[in-house]
Amino acid sequence: MLTKVQSAANSGLEAIGVDVEVSVSSRGLPGFEIVGLASKAVDESKERVRAAIGNSKMEFPQRKITVNLAPADVPKDGSLYDLPIAVGIMASVLGYAIPEKSLFFGELSLDGTLRHTRGAVLMALFAREHGYKNVFAPADSAPEAAVVKGVNVYALRSLEQTAGFLLRKTQLQPAVYEERERVEIQTEAEFDMAEVLGQERSKRAMEIAAAGGHNVLMIGSPGSGKTMLARALPGILPFLNEEESLEVTKLYSIAGGIPPGGSLITTRPFRSPHHTISQIGLIGGGQRPQPGEVSLAHRGVLFLDEFNEFPRAVLESLRQPVEDGTLTISRSRERVTYPCRFILVASANPCPCGYLDHSKKPCVCTPREVSKYRKRVSGPILDRIDLHVEVPAVDTQEFAENQSASALAESSRDIRKRVDAVRRIQEARFLNERIYTNAEMKNAHIKTYAQLGAEAERILQRAANRYQLSARSYMKLIKIARTIADFAEEEHIETEHMAEALQYRPRAYIIE
Amino acid sequence: MTQFLMDNIVTKENSRYPKLLAEIGKDAPKQLYYKGEWNQDLFERCLAVVGARRMTSYGRRVTEQIVSEVAAAGITIVSGFMYGIDETAHRAALMVGGKTIAVMPCGIDIIHPEYQADLYEKILDKGGLVLSEYEGTHPVASWTFPRRNRIVAGISKAVLVVEAGETSGALITADLANKYGRKVFAVPGPITSSVSKGVTRLLREGAEAVGAARDILALYGAGFRTARKDSVPRHVAGELEQKIVELLEGEPMEIDVLARQLEVPASRLGASVSMLQLEGVLSEEQGKYYVC
């Protein structure tokens, strides 16, 4: 007897339909084979299926069982074929018909229950695109799949329940996406902006970065508050819009970053990998390419603390992702494209000891050590960072004596309101473009959307000559000025906007 | 090569040998090798400026401020070509078109530290001089530094110490200056800083505290042909800009401190400061702004 069950294989963010063909034959010696470029994880599925069926008050057929995963030339990996294989085998015993236009996936536990499986949202999207009506998913993964409207998602707890439903003995209602099931990967920022003492300019830079999606580099002595500023950033980031939410959810879904029972991710991710990270950890990769930190930070923040401590090769690999916002990982078996549009926040000390040009402590580094330290980060990388900010050491005494200074500080909630408003302006502006933020503008966009007043242009020209700005920096300054003008709700970039943007230009002494 | 060296040597017997240096008697080197154009005027009025290699931004600012005025008044700045205060002093003198002499701790044909080759070239380009008592490619050694210092002190009428730790070589120079009967000036620094310790010692031992360049210029009897621009009232457009300049003339500060003192948002202040910078009124260093 031959049964066909529909499932799908993930390849990056794409899915390919897979027919799980199960042949249970009474001729030949009893056995169980899986063919069709199955990986080790798929092959092990035999043992899980055998035990799960046995433990679900059913007899595992003592026949020759052959499972073919078609198309046979597409590599298949993961544990998601447990359910379709089991459903196919059970059909030969129980004699039910496989429902039409239905997709099955899910990992089995030996006791017959279904476990949370990665990639649920991608399965559901694939199902909708290819005209499937039903998706059968493990109960823990169903809320995630239910995010996709237009397909019925059935949440299955166990094989027994599945069999009951397929035999029409029990009823099952399709799962419904509920707002309260959203996952907050980063619920709250660790700090409120109001907690950061002083640093008015750096806070302003963070506000501009959050609003326009600009990258930031902070340079300052130890203890000046660089890390605190970065960690307070999630608190002023706007919420994800629907489309962005889905993009982020997809990435976390294949990376296994969505907890059982979780569904849509609505807050922006904040990733802060340690500086010992490998190139593949940062960029993504592996035999079956997995998203790296840059992709997991998509639509959110990638915070690289101690920027100069990262291995140079790792930093250099950031160049193209930062510029393009997408990344193609090519391996011999697969080529996968992941999005990676993030705000890069980097922080660094001015020199190895950290006290170069500190007003109170002398620096103990020789010029050679300083230049060696700085050379770890190349010019091209620094050139791709929009906002360059110096974070000076804070005189804590001043704040101890003067409480009112900290009372003046705005809370993250107030700043976020402004940031939100500026994001809305950008959304309206780029309605017909494929970008969301000012930082993503290409030169053609700049011509259309970021027109400089005559005086503003003159100032920029002067600054470019005086500070010897690169062509890329020149464009970046226009983008920053665009965001600043958006804060002022001005259509054209005026003098004061350009002048403020100049505060964040790259400093010559950093790029030597 | 030999011929070249012979041309660039001044022995103690030579009439061109600096008079002040000859006065130190036994300590005076038998010969001086040099690079650049030997101009007797260079040795007329010399001020040695020495200090810590590991300076703070305060040390850098003070050195720049005092040296630029002193050098602009036509006084030759002598120093040891080391990084830190030495380097800052040489550069500040060149910046205002002043003359400067670098005394090397190594053979005349070597540049030490080599990464300051650009400064070396500039000193020679601008009519300055590079001196050494060692010929050819004599290597740098721990003992050549203190020996070099006696030339620095010897050719100068006075020595200015900016920042110095407890064991700084600048203190050796100052002690030698005392021994040779030269005036020692010292710039007071915050007592909490480790590079103020040596300076504080000097002041305790009778060095003259320097508050401004004119304290030094008085010794040289130089007229106040100062390049100090604050005698000319500034014309800065805008009320906020005027306030910014007034505050910064008192003390260089970070933009955050300015924002708090003026109670103006950092965004608005940033725009004004950028404009003032473009107009050349303000300049910025490591996050602090000061009036040029």
Side-chain angles (χ1 to χ4, degrees):
Chain A
M1 183 185 168
L2 178 74
T3 324
K4 255 193 206 177
V5 185
Q6 313 286 322
S7 191
N10 283 333
S11 162
L13 291 182
E14 308 292 316
I16 302 158
V18 169
D19 288 341
V20 180
E21 301 171 341
V22 182
S23 155
V24 180
S25 149
S26 49
R27 284 167 167 245
L29 287 171
F32 192 175
E33 287 302 327
I34 297 180
V35 296
L37 271 193
S39 74
K40 182 81 178 131
V42 178
D43 204 50
E44 284 172 348
S45 146
K46 288 189 284 200
E47 299 310 318
R48 285 193 296 271
V49 169
R50 197 195 299 272
I53 292 181
N55 289 327
S56 299
K57 298 175 194 161
M58 271 176 274
E59 187 97 10
F60 188 82
Q62 290 301 316
R63 303 272 171 87
K64 176 157 181 62
I65 300 170
T66 312
V67 175
N68 180 33
L69 305 175
D73 59 345
V74 177
K76 286 121 201 137
D77 195 15
S79 51
L80 62 111
Y81 304 106
D82 290 4
L83 179 65
I85 293 171
V87 164
I89 294 172
M90 291 190 308
S92 73
V93 181
L94 302 173
Y96 53 70
I98 307 291
E100 276 191 9
K101 301 210 174 231
S102 301
L103 199 76
F104 291 79
F105 74 92
E107 180 183 325
L108 281 172
S109 184
L110 296 188
D111 63 2
T113 54
L114 282 146
R115 299 175 56 90
H116 179 52
T117 310
R118 43 170 91 174
V121 72
L122 292 161
M123 292 288 169
L125 280 170
F126 170 81
R128 184 175 68 184
E129 268 170 45
H130 291 81
Y132 289 89
K133 269 194 275 181
N134 311 310
V135 171
F136 291 86
D140 279 343
S141 310
E144 186 188 323
V147 164
V148 179
K149 295 187 185 80
V151 283
N152 298 322
V153 176
Y154 292 97
L156 307 174
R157 302 223 160 267
S158 65
L159 269 190
E160 225 183 317
Q161 184 200 22
T162 311
F165 177 71
L166 294 175
L167 287 167
R168 297 173 195 275
K169 279 187 188 156
T170 49
Q171 290 290 314
L172 211 55
Q173 288 302 315
V176 186
Y177 166 63
E178 282 178 56
E179 295 250 327
R180 61 179 170 76
E181 280 167 357
R182 294 167 168 220
V183 214
E184 313 271 311
I185 19 178
Q186 182 82 35
T187 32
E188 275 304 312
E190 274 176 70
F191 302 102
D192 193 285
M193 279 291 176
E195 288 177 65
V196 183
L197 295 181
Q199 309 299 11
E200 283 78 5
R201 171 160 67 177
S202 311
K203 283 187 200 171
R204 171 69 175 168
M206 284 296 172
E207 183 179 337
I208 295 170
H214 303 286
N215 300 327
V216 193
L217 171 68
M218 294 184 283
I219 293 188
S221 312
S224 54
K226 303 182 295 284
T227 308
M228 212 173 159
L229 278 163
R231 300 226 173 250
L233 181 60
I236 63 169
L237 286 174
F239 289 105
L240 291 165
N241 67 30
E242 224 169 286
E243 213 169 315
E244 290 174 323
S245 264
L246 197 58
E247 287 175 16
V248 176
T249 308
K250 277 157 73 176
L251 283 162
Y252 274 79
S253 179
I254 34 166
I258 296 186
S263 63
L264 198 64
I265 294 171
T266 54
T267 48
R268 291 181 189 267
F270 181 88
R271 309 289 299 190
S272 57
H274 188 252
H275 60 71
T276 50
I277 190 172
S278 70
Q279 212 166 343
I280 286 177
L282 187 67
I283 298 304
Q287 242 190 353
R288 310 229 39 213
Q290 287 288 303
E293 288 291 337
V294 290
S295 296
L296 295 177
H298 182 59
R299 299 285 170 212
V301 174
L302 179 68
F303 174 44
L304 302 182
D305 205 358
E306 307 298 348
F307 202 44
N308 297 55
E309 300 296 340
F310 282 80
R312 184 163 176 145
V314 171
L315 287 186
E316 292 307 308
S317 61
L318 271 177
R319 280 198 210 178
Q320 190 242 333
V322 166
E323 195 74 4
D324 299 350
T326 65
L327 185 76
T328 301
I329 305 168
S330 297
R331 293 294 182 268
S332 54
R333 289 167 71 187
E334 245 177 311
R335 187 179 301 115
V336 166
T337 302
Y338 289 122
C340 54
R341 178 67 68 190
F342 53 87
I343 297 176
L344 173 65
V345 178
S347 84
N349 286 324
C351 67
C353 84
Y355 292 100
L356 185 72
D357 268 298
H358 193 279
S359 58
K360 298 208 175 80
K361 283 192 188 171
C363 164
V364 298
C365 313
T366 64
R368 191 183 293 272
E369 283 165 351
V370 175
S371 95
K372 205 174 148 197
Y373 184 73
R374 288 193 175 151
K375 276 189 188 136
R376 290 208 196 147
V377 183
S378 71
I381 284 284
L382 291 172
D383 210 24
R384 283 168 168 81
I385 294 179
D386 312 16
L387 298 156
H388 292 243
V389 200
E390 271 161 354
V391 186
V394 180
D395 192 349
T396 38
Q397 202 140 22
E398 189 197 324
F399 287 93
E401 286 160 12
N402 186 3
Q403 286 296 321
S404 66
S406 44
L408 275 174
E410 282 180 294
S411 71
S412 291
R413 178 196 285 261
D414 291 340
I415 300 174
R416 183 186 257 161
K417 273 184 201 148
R418 285 200 298 269
V419 170
D420 258 331
V422 172
R423 281 275 173 144
R424 271 196 293 277
I425 292 174
Q426 295 172 74
E427 251 169 54
R429 172 182 306 138
F430 301 127
L431 202 58
N432 300 320
E433 309 282 352
R434 304 181 74 188
I435 57 176
Y436 292 115
T437 57
N438 290 334
E440 291 171 68
M441 285 195 285
K442 301 267 178 264
N443 290 358
H445 297 132
I446 291 177
K447 265 189 199 135
T448 331
Y449 300 112
Q451 276 165 2
L452 296 176
E455 182 63 15
E457 183 154 14
R458 205 181 56 79
I459 289 170
L460 181 58
Q461 289 288 357
R462 238 171 101 183
N465 289 333
R466 192 181 170 118
Y467 305 126
Q468 300 183 347
L469 301 173
S470 71
R472 193 184 264 123
S473 299
Y474 188 92
M475 288 305 181
K476 292 223 177 269
L477 283 173
I478 298 180
K479 292 184 201 174
I480 298 168
R482 176 69 269 170
T483 305
I484 294 172
D486 287 344
F487 272 108
E489 293 175 27
E490 297 277 356
E491 198 184 330
H492 292 287
I493 299 169
E494 302 297 347
T495 323
E496 66 262 34
H497 311 136
M498 199 68 230
E500 196 196 334
L502 287 177
Q503 287 284 304
Y504 308 110
R505 69 180 188 276
R507 298 305 198 269
Y509 75 90
I510 301 170
I511 306 170
E512 274 168 311
Chain B
M1 194 65 187
T2 324
Q3 189 57 42
F4 176 75
L5 277 177
M6 291 310 286
D7 278 345
N8 289 277
I9 181 167
V10 173
T11 58
K12 211 171 169 179
E13 293 75 35
N14 197 311
S15 61
R16 294 196 294 169
Y17 195 85
K19 284 191 190 59
L20 271 178
L21 187 58
E23 278 177 19
I24 67 174
K26 236 174 40 243
D27 272 3
K30 287 203 184 71
Q31 74 284 317
L32 286 173
Y33 297 92
Y34 68 91
K35 286 266 166 89
E37 203 150 319
W38 187 285
N39 185 343
Q40 216 60 33
D41 292 348
L42 274 177
F43 299 97
E44 282 295 304
R45 295 183 301 174
C46 293
L47 172 71
V49 179
V50 293
R53 295 178 187 184
R54 290 159 182 181
M55 60 180 173
T56 64
S57 65
Y58 167 77
R60 176 206 289 274
R61 286 265 308 118
V62 168
T63 310
E64 282 172 355
Q65 193 180 318
I66 294 179
V67 167
S68 57
E69 275 184 61
V70 172
I75 289 162
T76 308
I77 303 298
V78 181
S79 198
F81 200 70
M82 207 49 214
Y83 61 85
I85 299 289
D86 287 12
E87 179 203 353
T88 312
H90 287 304
R91 288 195 196 275
L94 294 170
M95 195 72 91
V96 293
K99 298 278 179 279
T100 183
I101 297 176
V103 186
M104 308 296 275
C106 53
I108 192 68
D109 291 338
I110 321 181
I111 302 176
H112 179 86
E114 54 181 309
Y115 47 79
Q116 280 175 187
D118 68 310
L119 176 61
Y120 192 92
E121 294 300 323
K122 249 185 231 155
I123 292 175
L124 297 182
D125 272 1
K126 298 279 172 73
L129 206 56
V130 175
L131 292 182
S132 173
E133 61 179 307
Y134 307 111
E135 64 170 8
T137 54
H138 190 290
V140 184
S142 56
W143 54 270
T144 57
F145 289 97
R147 287 192 57 84
R148 177 267 314 269
N149 291 349
R150 71 193 208 287
I151 306 177
V152 174
I155 58 175
S156 309
K157 194 168 172 186
V159 172
L160 170 68
V161 181
V162 179
E163 279 188 319
E166 267 169 310
T167 56
S168 173
L171 297 181
I172 298 176
T173 313
D175 290 344
L176 287 167
N178 263 327
K179 185 174 154 195
Y180 306 150
R182 308 291 152 79
K183 183 100 186 162
V184 177
F185 291 106
V187 178
I191 55 169
T192 48
S193 161
S194 65
V195 285
S196 291
K197 295 222 164 79
V199 177
T200 313
R201 198 200 90 191
L202 288 177
L203 289 169
R204 208 183 298 123
E205 289 171 359
E208 188 175 326
V210 174
R214 59 173 164 273
D215 299 343
I216 296 166
L217 290 171
L219 177 77
Y220 290 84
F224 290 102
R225 299 195 283 123
T226 61
R228 196 70 189 152
K229 307 109 196 166
D230 54 11
S231 47
V232 189
R234 292 185 171 282
H235 293 290
V236 187
E239 202 181 328
L240 176 62
E241 283 76 6
Q242 194 72 52
K243 275 190 197 158
I244 294 171
V245 172
E246 272 167 29
L247 265 178
L248 291 180
E249 267 176 342
E251 175 193 9
M253 46 180 110
E254 284 114 10
I255 201 160
D256 301 332
V257 181
L258 262 179
R260 287 196 291 275
Q261 295 216 351
L262 292 169
E263 292 179 1
V264 175
S267 53
R268 176 131 174 262
L269 197 61
S272 302
V273 168
S274 288
M275 292 307 287
L276 286 171
Q277 242 180 305
L278 274 183
E279 282 158 20
V281 180
L282 295 185
S283 88
E284 179 204 5
E285 205 171 288
Q286 320 291 330
K288 277 199 178 187
Y289 289 86
Y290 53 94
V291 180
C292 296

